[in-house]
Amino acid sequence: MKKYLCIATVLALVACTKEPSLAPGGEGAGRGPIVVGVPSLAAGGSIALKLTPEMAESVLEAQTGGAALETRSGVAGMDAALEELGAMKFERAFAYDPEWEALYARTGMNLWYIVRFDETVAPERAAELLGQQAGVSVVEYGLDPQYRKPLNVGPMVPFTDDVAEGAQTRAEMPMNDPLLQYQWHYDNRGNQIGSVAGADIDLFDAWTLCTGGEDIVVAVIDQPVQTTHPDLAANMWSKPDKPDEHGWNFFNQTAKLDWTSAQYLSQYGVWEYADHGSHVAGVIAGVNGNGRGISGIAGGRDGKGGAKIMSCQIMGFKRGNTDPYADTHAFEYALKNGAVIAQNSWGYDGDVVTEAMWNSSNSQFSMLRMAMDTFIAGAGTKNPNSPIQGGLVIFAAGNDGEDVWDAKRYPAVYDPLIAVGSMSWNYKPAYYTDYGTWVDITAPGGDAMTGTSNNCQVLSTVLCDNTMDFKDGRKTGSMFGYGFMQGTSMACPHVSGIAALGLAYASQIGKTFSAEEYTGLLLSSVKGIEQYFTGTIRGVTGRRINAEDYVGKMGGGAISALKLLLAIKGTPALYAKTGTETTFDFVDYFGGDKSKVVILSAEVAPTDKARIGLNEIPAFDGTKLTLNCTKVGTGFLTVRARAGDKEFSREFAIVSRPNLASNGGWM
């Protein structure tokens, strides 16, 4: 009941701000500026303003015309208000930069300014005073950073020898990282209680095409990433002119990333450390093939060659000098420093940030939204060698679906973003995942209610800083620096990691995409999973959730790394059920049944034969070929044909899986 009383209170507060009693001059056409946000939830000491284009031009001219103005606008009326407020800073949200001004003007990001003042001044007073000024079109309260949350469920569980139960114990692994066998979310053979074969991201087969690329930069907008972690350090991004700068601490406005602070969680009786950012980073690009720990989706091979992780810290535990606009500044930093993917496993506290506060009628007025729009429009565009022109912003959907059903969650619901829901190792939605028609895609996020040990959660890197006095037992055993977590926080980096892997592959084979084109490839590279939405899903309190409630509300399906890479390559995929003879008809690939193209033969390289357990390649029966793949895997088949007197060939991928979906895809 407390949750709903709180929401009702916020609705009432928002209703009171819809018609602000401010003087004319904004986009409200005679009613003053638009007011966004709720004063009672605002951080003290700052407020954001969107200026009219004319006002913004006047301010820019004054501030770049030789006068060193940091606390004032250079425009008389506005400066009188700033003086009365006691403003300590008046600055553009995205700093003036001639190289990027055309983009900022196109998205409107050049119109946003932040005013900073003493925290003893009530935010409502600042909004009233500044909103009365001609040339102010939007006044936005900055949400207190305490309402910005990492989206994991429950505490991190350290990987120790006594909890390492039920490993997949497979003889062959594509990387020599010892904990890869516990990362079911990459390659699930269904050999653990409650798991289903194929409920993974098809990563091992994708790695036969690409394992990552150093030219792809992923901004992890999150808690800080431990840049010194031995399974992350080699894949950390460094600023070209400052090799020790691997990102920025926007939470406390300093160059030093802070992963050493902690807080006590009384509800769990454990200490919480800043593991979240490092865990997310490990899924994306933990160092592959270095003989230690886990593997990352785009982590390279033999200890090198992985995607680069840029740590943009917007969350932490020390209150101090926290910035409500840390998220906006993180997108600016990521854009200007070469990131093309913005990974966001965070969201607003669902108890306070509701649809009334973040609604579609205000979508064009929010500064954070405009910052994300600017990243999507501009990332990669200054790099002629980038495989993507534009950027991807990927968000975790949220974790209170068990309590609020298919309510919208923010910022993930914003349409230009990619919203990621979470599934368990049995293809069913994780009990906690938020869901709805606004969710775009699903990925493994773990589900502690489906297994008999912690292995049903997601394993990745966590803090292993020896200067810290850890109180959670993580130093016990032989694997210090690794742990299990669950949540849409863990599902989200699977999508970001696959996106990075795909862009590395595109760069490798010389292909370039617009952000819109690549988003289409990513969202269509999925496995249908709704046939598993039957029966019930066990919630954390023992409650049973009807699985059918999620139908049509988990995006297009579960993401597949292999499908994405095949789509980038342009290679058709043919699906065979492992251990069963499957007949493929190639007639549609060679002009249809009226075509005069003659199919001659098929060839499969020895390594690909071994990969899918193909003993022989029989002759074609007209346009049909029957194969018996005895192993799970993917191999490439080359079909030779003749048109007139010209012989040519086409490549196809043969995907062998133990289960096939009714639509012809694999599970």
Side-chain angles (χ1 to χ4, degrees), residues 175-182 291-294 479:
M175 303 289 178
N176 67 359
D177 306 301
L179 298 187
L180 178 57
Q181 61 183 318
Y182 294 92
R292 65 170 297 136
I294 54 91
M479 288 294 174

Coordinates of all heavy atoms in Angstrom, one line a residue, residues 175-182 291-294 479:
M175 N 37.4 -20.3 -25.1 CA 38.4 -19.5 -24.5 C 38.9 -20.2 -23.3 O 38.3 -21.1 -22.7 CB 37.7 -18.2 -24.0 CG 37.1 -17.3 -25.1 SD 38.3 -16.6 -26.2 CE 37.1 -15.8 -27.4
N176 N 40.1 -19.9 -22.8 CA 40.7 -20.6 -21.7 C 40.4 -19.9 -20.3 O 41.1 -20.2 -19.3 CB 42.2 -20.7 -21.9 CG 42.9 -19.3 -21.8 OD1 42.3 -18.3 -21.6 ND2 44.3 -19.3 -22.0
D177 N 39.4 -19.1 -20.3 CA 39.0 -18.4 -19.0 C 38.3 -19.5 -18.2 O 37.2 -20.0 -18.6 CB 38.1 -17.2 -19.3 CG 38.8 -16.3 -20.3 OD1 39.9 -15.8 -19.9 OD2 38.2 -16.0 -21.3
P178 N 38.8 -19.8 -17.0 CA 38.2 -20.9 -16.2 C 36.8 -20.8 -15.8 O 36.1 -21.8 -15.6 CB 39.2 -21.0 -15.0 CG 39.8 -19.7 -14.9 CD 39.9 -19.2 -16.3
L179 N 36.3 -19.6 -15.6 CA 34.9 -19.4 -15.2 C 33.9 -19.3 -16.3 O 32.7 -19.2 -16.1 CB 34.7 -18.2 -14.3 CG 35.5 -18.2 -13.0 CD1 35.2 -17.0 -12.1 CD2 35.3 -19.5 -12.2
L180 N 34.4 -19.5 -17.6 CA 33.5 -19.4 -18.7 C 32.4 -20.5 -18.6 O 31.3 -20.4 -19.1 CB 34.3 -19.5 -20.0 CG 33.5 -19.5 -21.3 CD1 32.6 -18.3 -21.5 CD2 34.5 -19.6 -22.5
Q181 N 32.8 -21.7 -18.1 CA 31.8 -22.8 -18.0 C 30.6 -22.4 -17.1 O 29.6 -23.1 -17.2 CB 32.5 -24.0 -17.4 CG 33.1 -23.8 -16.0 CD 33.9 -25.0 -15.5 OE1 33.4 -26.2 -15.8 NE2 35.0 -24.8 -14.9
Y182 N 30.7 -21.4 -16.3 CA 29.6 -21.0 -15.4 C 28.7 -19.9 -16.1 O 27.7 -19.6 -15.6 CB 30.1 -20.5 -14.1 CG 30.8 -21.5 -13.2 CD1 32.1 -21.7 -13.3 CD2 30.0 -22.3 -12.3 CE1 32.8 -22.6 -12.5 CE2 30.7 -23.2 -11.5 CZ 32.0 -23.4 -11.6 OH 32.7 -24.3 -10.8
G291 N 43.4 -16.6 -19.5 CA 43.6 -17.7 -18.5 C 43.1 -17.4 -17.2 O 43.5 -18.1 -16.2
R292 N 42.2 -16.4 -17.0 CA 41.7 -16.1 -15.7 C 40.3 -15.6 -15.8 O 39.8 -15.1 -16.7 CB 42.5 -15.0 -14.9 CG 42.5 -13.6 -15.6 CD 43.1 -12.6 -14.6 NE 42.4 -12.5 -13.4 CZ 42.9 -12.4 -12.2 NH1 44.3 -12.5 -12.1 NH2 42.2 -12.3 -11.1
G293 N 39.5 -16.0 -14.7 CA 38.2 -15.4 -14.6 C 37.2 -15.7 -15.6 O 37.1 -16.8 -16.2
I294 N 36.4 -14.7 -16.0 CA 35.3 -14.9 -16.9 C 35.7 -14.4 -18.3 O 36.8 -13.9 -18.5 CB 34.1 -14.1 -16.4 CG1 34.4 -12.6 -16.2 CG2 33.5 -14.7 -15.2 CD1 34.3 -11.6 -17.3
M479 N 38.9 -17.5 -6.4 CA 38.4 -16.6 -7.4 C 38.0 -15.3 -6.9 O 36.8 -14.9 -6.9 CB 37.3 -17.3 -8.2 CG 37.8 -18.4 -9.1 SD 38.8 -17.8 -10.4 CE 39.3 -19.4 -11.2

